């Protein structure tokens, strides 16, 4: 009884502190690690699931019914069989291919399962608003925020290496805040009141370790643009350097202006982009911007070892942002995204060192002379057409909601 009372008082204390730290504020008492390996990431998910005692949330964009997906599903099922409240929310478009048998296996074991805005079934459907974030959180205690989906291509299996991506593992106050966000998104997605998630009544002791972490969200439809603001802050506040890694680079104009202004101030701006694109049209669109980048003295590196799927940036050896947000208009103005900003020199150093290693061993720098020599006028014109085509398609898919949002 005393133990339960002590846990409850800890819970009340943490909740009171969390309420005082609204969106945009840093929480203090956290422990953070950076996960780059696909094998480490999925091992960590299984460990979190196996250690969960009360609640477990998994929310992601793509969940494939393959070796990796089945391992993660097995961990969720084991947790549910221990009477842990397991909530699995997948995007209704990207994960719609899951079989009825696979979903039944989960729900029959006690896993609460739902799709986020399933195609043609959602009451407030907007095609561009997809659940793109990748989050796991257990017991308001530990969490992972990542760019990786649940699929073999994001995992290291045998000799096959995962696509390059990142995750932030965290314990402490930020996990309690993230748990609340997951509950809110889950409860807004399920129709049956019996399936509503409740807050974990047993929170762990407050960590003595200090690491500044804040949750950043983008859900433009509901006027959340925190991650977009974070990326602008990276460039407006930088003193020495910003290195940005992203998989589908098609940034809003506001961000391009901040990047150019930072470069003019003498900030060293480097982009790590992919050479092997899983979506070729996105790469053509990206390359249309290269000459603008060269004119503004921004260094461009293409990762050649595998597909680059990461979304992470570091500023001045001081802080990082990482998560699901691609630096493009889809993440800025459509998808539901979630990042963590971490202000910690040790963490920033880890990321900077990794970037240095990746640039040295796995990348080719693209210079203006090389780009012009290897891309004819015809090819560069094709890049321009790709850029305009994506803008046009994006406008068609978002026009109605832009008008509706502006009227509100």
């Amino acid at each position: 009884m005393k133990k339960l009372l002590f846990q409850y008082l800890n819970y009340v204390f943490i909740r009171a502190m969390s309420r005082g730290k609204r969106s945009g504020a840093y929480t203090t008492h956290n422990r953070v690690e950076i996960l780059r390996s696909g094998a480490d990431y999925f091992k960590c998910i299984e460990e979190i699931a196996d250690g969960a005692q009360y609640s477990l949330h998994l929310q992601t964009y793509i969940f494939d019914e393959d070796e990796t997906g089945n391992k993660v599903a097995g961990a969720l099922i084991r947790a549910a069989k221990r009477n842990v409240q397991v909530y699995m929310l997948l995007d209704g478009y990207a994960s719609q291919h899951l079989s009825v048998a696979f979903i039944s296996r989960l729900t029959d074991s006690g896993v609460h399962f739902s799709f986020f805005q399933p195609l043609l079934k959602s009451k407030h459907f907007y095609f561009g608003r997809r659940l793109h974030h990748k989050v796991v959180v257990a017991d308001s205690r530990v969490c992972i925020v990542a760019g990786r989906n649940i699929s073999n291509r994001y995992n290291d299996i045998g000799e096959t290496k995962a696509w390059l991506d990142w995750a932030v593992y965290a314990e402490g106050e930020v996990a309690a805040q993230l748990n609340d966000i997951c509950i809110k998104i889950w409860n807004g997605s399920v129709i049956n009141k019996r399936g509503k998630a409740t807050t974990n009544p047993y929170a762990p002791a407050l960590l003595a370790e200090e690491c500044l972490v804040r949750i950043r969200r983008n859900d433009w439809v509901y006027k959340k643009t925190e991650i977009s603001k974070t990326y602008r802050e990276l460039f407006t506040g930088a003193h020495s350097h910003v290195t940005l890694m992203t998989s589908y680079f098609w940034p809003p104009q506001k961000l391009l202006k901040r990047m150019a202004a930072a470069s003019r101030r003498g900030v060293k701006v480097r982009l790590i982009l992919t050479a092997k694109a899983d979506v070729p049209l996105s790469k053509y669109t990206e390359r249309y911007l290269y000459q603008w980048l060269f004119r503004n003295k921004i260094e461009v590196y293409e990762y050649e070892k595998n597909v680059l799927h990461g979304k992470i940036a570091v500023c001045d050896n001081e802080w990082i942002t990482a998560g699901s947000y691609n630096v493009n208009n889809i993440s800025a103005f459509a998808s539901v995204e979630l990042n963590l900003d971490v202000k910690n020199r040790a963490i920033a150093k880890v990321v900077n060192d990794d970037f240095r290693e990746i640039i040295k061993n796995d990348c080719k720098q693209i210079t203006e002379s090389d780009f012009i020599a290897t891309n004819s006028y015809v090819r560069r014109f094709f890049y321009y057409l790709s850029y305009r085509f994506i803008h046009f398609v994006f406008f068609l898919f978002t026009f109605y909601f832009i008008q509706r949002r502006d009227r509100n």
Side-chain angles (χ1 to χ4, degrees):
M1 186 69 183
K2 287 182 179 179
K3 183 179 178 181
L4 288 177
L5 179 61
F6 180 69
Q7 288 177 321
Y8 179 73
L9 291 174
N10 272 328
Y11 161 72
V12 171
F13 178 62
I14 289 175
R15 301 298 302 154
M17 290 190 68
S18 295
R19 287 193 187 99
K21 294 174 180 177
R22 296 301 179 188
S23 181
Y26 282 92
T27 58
T28 305
H29 297 281
N30 305 288
R31 188 176 78 81
V32 171
E33 292 179 20
I34 300 296
L35 303 176
R36 177 176 149 194
S37 157
D40 289 345
Y41 173 69
F42 288 106
K43 180 183 177 183
C44 189
I45 288 179
E46 289 191 67
E47 289 175 351
I48 288 175
D50 288 337
Q53 298 177 22
Y54 178 84
S55 67
L56 178 65
H57 287 268
L58 184 149
Q59 299 183 358
T60 194
Y61 182 60
I62 296 172
F63 196 110
D64 281 345
E65 197 174 335
D66 54 16
E67 181 182 346
T68 299
N70 275 290
K71 279 189 175 181
V72 173
L76 301 185
I77 288 169
R78 290 194 298 272
K81 287 183 176 179
R82 298 194 312 271
N83 295 320
V84 175
Q85 296 299 306
V86 180
Y87 302 95
M88 184 178 182
L89 183 64
L90 309 180
D91 183 70
Y93 168 72
S95 297
Q96 62 179 313
H97 55 275
L98 291 177
S99 69
V100 173
F102 182 81
I103 296 171
S104 296
R105 179 183 160 219
L106 289 159
T107 55
D108 290 347
S109 300
V111 174
H112 302 282
F113 180 95
S114 186
F115 283 116
F116 178 88
Q117 293 197 346
L119 290 178
L120 307 179
K121 294 181 181 179
S122 177
K123 183 179 178 181
H124 302 292
F125 180 72
Y126 168 51
F127 184 83
R129 185 174 180 258
R130 307 312 323 163
L131 181 70
H132 193 247
H133 68 216
K134 293 89 176 164
V135 170
V136 178
V137 58
D139 297 336
S140 300
R141 177 178 60 89
V142 297
C143 64
I144 302 180
V145 172
R148 293 183 187 275
N149 293 294
I150 311 296
S151 173
N152 281 350
R153 58 185 177 272
Y154 303 96
N155 199 0
D156 300 303
I157 300 177
E159 297 298 317
T160 304
K161 294 301 180 184
W163 290 2
L164 178 59
D165 216 324
W166 303 77
V168 180
Y169 168 85
E171 301 175 11
E173 288 180 275
V174 69
Q177 287 191 343
L178 188 56
N179 189 74
D180 287 349
I181 290 169
C182 286
I183 288 173
K184 186 175 181 180
I185 294 174
W186 170 268
N187 288 345
S189 300
V190 296
I191 299 172
N192 187 350
K193 290 185 178 180
R194 286 186 177 181
K196 299 288 186 181
T198 57
T199 302
N200 176 8
Y202 307 118
L206 192 65
L207 293 181
E209 190 170 346
E210 292 192 3
C211 180
L212 295 176
V213 185
R214 67 178 176 179
I215 298 171
R216 304 296 271 171
R217 300 169 66 194
N218 249 62
D219 189 355
W220 183 83
V221 170
Y222 288 96
K223 301 185 179 181
K224 289 188 182 297
T225 58
E226 294 166 355
I227 310 176
S228 297
K229 290 174 183 175
T230 281
Y231 271 94
R232 293 198 294 270
E233 287 173 18
L234 281 170
F235 293 100
T236 54
H239 298 290
S240 63
H241 69 274
V242 175
T243 306
L244 188 157
M245 175 185 283
T246 187
S247 47
Y248 312 103
F249 183 70
W250 171 41
Q253 288 297 317
K254 283 184 180 180
L255 183 58
L256 286 173
K257 290 177 181 177
R258 302 294 176 94
M259 292 172 66
S263 182
R264 287 194 298 271
R265 292 198 320 270
V267 175
K268 185 177 183 178
V269 180
R270 298 185 298 182
L271 295 181
I272 305 175
L273 308 173
T274 192
K276 301 176 181 179
D278 60 315
V279 183
L281 186 62
S282 72
K283 189 64 206 178
Y284 303 148
T285 299
E286 203 171 81
R287 284 184 173 144
Y288 170 69
L289 294 169
Y290 276 18
Q291 289 185 280
W292 180 91
L293 295 170
F294 299 143
R295 286 196 302 273
N296 285 281
K297 296 180 172 56
I298 294 169
E299 295 180 11
V300 179
Y301 298 87
E302 286 189 350
Y303 177 77
E304 298 184 313
K305 193 172 182 179
N306 201 342
V307 174
L308 185 155
H309 194 258
K311 313 107 170 50
I312 185 169
V314 62
C315 176
D316 287 347
N317 294 313
E318 295 288 340
W319 65 290
I320 72 161
T321 186
S324 68
Y325 184 93
N326 290 305
V327 183
N328 62 31
N329 283 318
I330 295 172
S331 285
F333 302 114
S335 298
V336 180
E337 308 281 3
L338 194 144
N339 272 27
L340 292 184
D341 291 355
V342 181
K343 275 194 175 180
N344 182 279
R345 290 184 177 181
I347 296 297
K349 184 180 184 303
V350 168
V351 176
N352 264 320
D353 289 347
D354 277 349
F355 279 167
R356 197 174 298 114
E357 177 188 332
I358 289 167
I359 288 172
K360 179 182 177 181
N361 299 324
D362 303 324
C363 290
K364 176 184 178 182
Q365 184 172 4
I366 308 300
T367 64
E368 185 170 14
S369 58
D370 288 340
F371 181 76
I372 292 172
T374 55
N375 292 274
S376 64
Y377 284 112
V378 173
R379 182 172 289 185
R380 279 180 272 158
F381 182 65
F382 180 71
Y383 297 158
Y384 166 78
L385 292 179
S386 300
Y387 184 80
R388 291 302 173 194
F389 175 74
I390 283 190
H391 268 84
F392 177 69
V393 171
F394 185 75
F395 176 78
L396 286 181
F397 275 107
T398 58
F399 175 77
Y400 169 75
F401 204 90
I402 288 171
Q403 301 304 309
R404 178 179 162 188
R405 185 179 188 269
D406 288 345
R407 288 196 299 268
N408 291 338

